[in-house]
Amino acid sequence: MMLLIDDPDFIAVQEATRYARASEVALPSALGWGTGLYPITKVGYCDLGAGTRQGYAAGYSPWTSAEYLACRAGTQVYISATGSDSSGAGTIGSPYLTANKAIQVANAAGQPATIWFAAGTYTRSAGGGFINAPGATTLPTVPLCLMAYNGIVKFGCNDTYTWVADATYTNTYKITRSSAGSVYNPFLRDRFGNAVMYTKAASAAACNARPGSWYTDNVTVYVNPFDGAAVTDATASVYLTSDTFAINWGSAPQHFFVDSNDEASAWDIMGSRVKMFGTAYAASPKILAMRRVSARYASSTSSDYWNGFGFDNWWGLIWLEGCYAGRASADCFNFHNTLGTQPLYVVTLNCRGVDTGVFGAGSNNGLTLHENVIGIDVAGRYEFNQGGTLRNINTSKCLAHGSTFMSDRGDLYLSGGTVPPTEVGTLNTAQIWLSECVVSPSGPTSYGINVGTGGAVYVRNMPTLGGRIFGSVSTWL
């Protein structure tokens, strides 16, 4: 069973965790975690049966930090998909429409703020369906929390359309739309719960000949439905090659939180990556935390393949909790620290990354850390990716406790890359500590662990460790 963040089953798992037995481990000292800043003492998970695990970290949480609480106590601004920037007052009874307007108000107040997003679908055509700063959205200049409430907040890198039957290619329906990157059918779902993607055809004529396909000449989008029924927005979501949720912080990052006010509320980002990066570090460490956020169908087909979640050049902590990435162009969760002069600490807690690499890019990982990133993954589940499920590079270090890595397809055979099917792998001098993880390759010739020259993997209490083992692998504790 897939635990999508908006599933009632996910909420039930959260509740059951309170009564389940826990398995805990202290952080290895060689991991180099920044306990002075973020004093995590140990991590653990509860095994709820049927392959379901729920993780936690003891000693620190961004959701009880002074920085988060300052946002919750600060300026309060409300927006809604049915609000108005011109006539709204930014209150719960008279909300604004766009994040841009709300951020401008928060910036003008000059103190930490919370922006409340009412549940609903925020579309690009209405002006509310994106957070893209600087540019379409004002860059936050104060610590900020984005809070979903009363259900699911949906952002899509798409618009609303009126589909018409084409007179020449009579099996297709069409809209006028440039910059289309992919088309999905939200009515049909695959085994992971993701919408089914239409196959891109080489021409309008080829699309006309193949049910379940689409084509664009960058002016018109044609769709040949799976079942011959008339195409509507309910059966064809056209995702564009433009960002829906991206912030370039430049040289002035702020504390930034994306949260929801209860476990029935969440964020669903569709057709775009979640991308946060800077061009320089802030003057002091900052917290970037997201809870119950999904990023699906990151759609770029250009050379800049899109990750579901991608981060770079952040001094401080990035914390992802209960987040989901599926069917991205490249990696599910990608962490860089290119500037490299200050540490980036990462926690991925109860996250899931599945079925990435949909456009044939190389090295499409479920979870990957680069440069001097230090990470902790607890009770994660990463599967059916293409190019290495957990694949860490450069001088990065990572502890994974109670996580599952399985069914990687590699990119060697699927897209002409260099990575055979591999669940856990390193390059350069990266190091990984595995504790009570499930490592389950797709076949006996696939790699369970593949350690590059100079790297190392350390294992403890690993009852499920399948596949081939290569390189420097030793036990710890």
Side-chain angles (χ1 to χ4, degrees), residues 56 93 175 194 230 234 250 290 294 297 346 350 369-370 413 437 454 464 475:
Y56 58 90
I175 57 171
N194 293 318
M290 298 184 176
S294 68
Y297 325 131
V346 169
N350 303 317
L369 280 58
H370 297 248
Y413 311 112
C437 293
T464 305
T475 58

Side-chain angles (χ1 to χ4, degrees), residues 362-373:
S363 185
N364 309 290
N365 311 129
L367 172 63
T368 180
L369 280 58
H370 297 248
E371 288 90 37
N372 63 337
V373 176

Side-chain angles (χ1 to χ4, degrees), residues 109-442:
Q111 64 176 358
T114 295
I115 299 175
W116 294 81
F117 288 71
T121 300
Y122 292 74
T123 63
R124 289 171 54 87
S125 54
F130 51 83
I131 297 173
N132 190 1
T137 308
T138 301
L139 184 69
T141 58
V142 296
L144 193 61
C145 175
L146 310 183
M147 182 70 70
Y149 73 100
N150 284 351
I152 310 301
V153 172
K154 297 182 178 182
F155 274 31
C157 190
N158 61 335
D159 293 318
T160 56
Y161 305 103
T162 299
W163 294 82
V164 298
D166 187 74
T168 302
Y169 305 105
T170 55
N171 292 328
T172 72
Y173 293 78
K174 66 181 180 180
I175 57 171
T176 300
R177 175 71 262 186
S178 61
S179 302
S182 62
V183 183
Y184 281 82
N185 187 330
F187 188 76
L188 301 177
R189 298 284 168 164
D190 64 18
R191 63 190 176 108
F192 299 112
N194 293 318
V196 173
M197 185 170 69
Y198 288 87
T199 300
K200 190 173 184 181
S203 64
C207 178
N208 189 61
R210 181 175 180 175
S213 67
W214 75 286
Y215 171 73
T216 181
D217 57 9
N218 210 32
V219 174
T220 303
V221 174
Y222 302 86
V223 170
N224 185 340
F226 289 91
D227 57 2
V231 173
T232 67
D233 284 347
T235 58
S237 290
V238 179
Y239 294 118
L240 312 179
T241 56
S242 58
D243 284 313
T244 293
F245 204 105
I247 298 179
N248 177 355
W249 293 95
S251 59
Q254 302 290 328
H255 298 295
F256 187 73
F257 305 90
V258 181
D259 198 8
S260 47
N261 72 323
D262 58 45
E263 291 174 353
S265 300
W267 295 78
D268 196 2
I269 313 301
M270 297 171 289
S272 175
R273 55 191 169 184
V274 173
K275 185 178 182 181
M276 304 279 160
F277 67 102
T279 58
Y281 294 131
S284 60
K286 302 299 181 185
I287 300 170
L288 195 166
M290 298 184 176
R291 180 162 55 177
R292 292 188 287 274
V293 178
S294 68
R296 296 183 278 180
Y297 325 131
S299 303
S300 174
T301 57
S302 69
S303 58
D304 180 21
Y305 288 99
W306 283 1
N307 305 307
F309 291 81
F311 306 90
D312 197 0
N313 294 338
W314 190 270
W315 176 21
L317 174 69
I318 296 177
W319 181 293
L320 303 183
E321 182 173 344
C323 292
Y324 174 89
R327 294 197 64 78
S329 304
D331 302 322
C332 290
F333 298 92
N334 177 295
F335 301 89
H336 276 272
N337 192 16
T338 307
L339 293 174
T341 57
Q342 297 289 357
L344 167 57
Y345 302 105
V346 169
V347 173
T348 44
L349 180 63
N350 303 317
C351 291
R352 191 173 189 197
V354 303
D355 195 16
T356 194
V358 296
F359 293 123
S363 185
N364 309 290
N365 311 129
L367 172 63
T368 180
L369 280 58
H370 297 248
E371 288 90 37
N372 63 337
V373 176
I374 298 173
I376 299 173
D377 183 75
V378 187
R381 187 175 181 91
Y382 308 93
E383 58 184 309
F384 206 63
N385 294 302
Q386 183 176 312
T389 303
L390 171 62
R391 192 164 189 252
N392 290 352
I393 299 171
N394 308 121
T395 59
S396 63
K397 298 180 181 180
C398 178
L399 164 66
H401 178 59
S403 298
T404 297
F405 309 101
M406 63 185 295
S407 304
D408 183 71
R409 296 167 289 168
D411 65 18
L412 181 64
Y413 311 112
L414 293 174
S415 57
T418 61
V419 183
T422 303
E423 302 310 326
V424 177
T426 70
L427 289 177
N428 312 118
T429 59
Q431 299 177 68
I432 298 173
W433 287 260
L434 299 177
S435 172
E436 301 181 32
C437 293
V438 174
V439 177
S440 180
S442 54

Side-chain angles (χ1 to χ4, degrees), residues 32-84:
W33 183 259
T35 53
L37 290 170
Y38 315 108
I40 296 174
T41 57
K42 56 188 175 182
V43 295
Y45 68 90
C46 300
D47 196 335
L48 305 179
T52 300
R53 292 174 170 178
Q54 190 76 357
Y56 58 90
Y60 177 84
S61 169
W63 312 114
T64 57
S65 68
E67 295 85 356
Y68 175 75
L69 296 177
C71 291
R72 296 300 305 272
T75 305
Q76 308 293 303
V77 187
Y78 289 82
I79 73 170
S80 167
T82 58
S84 171

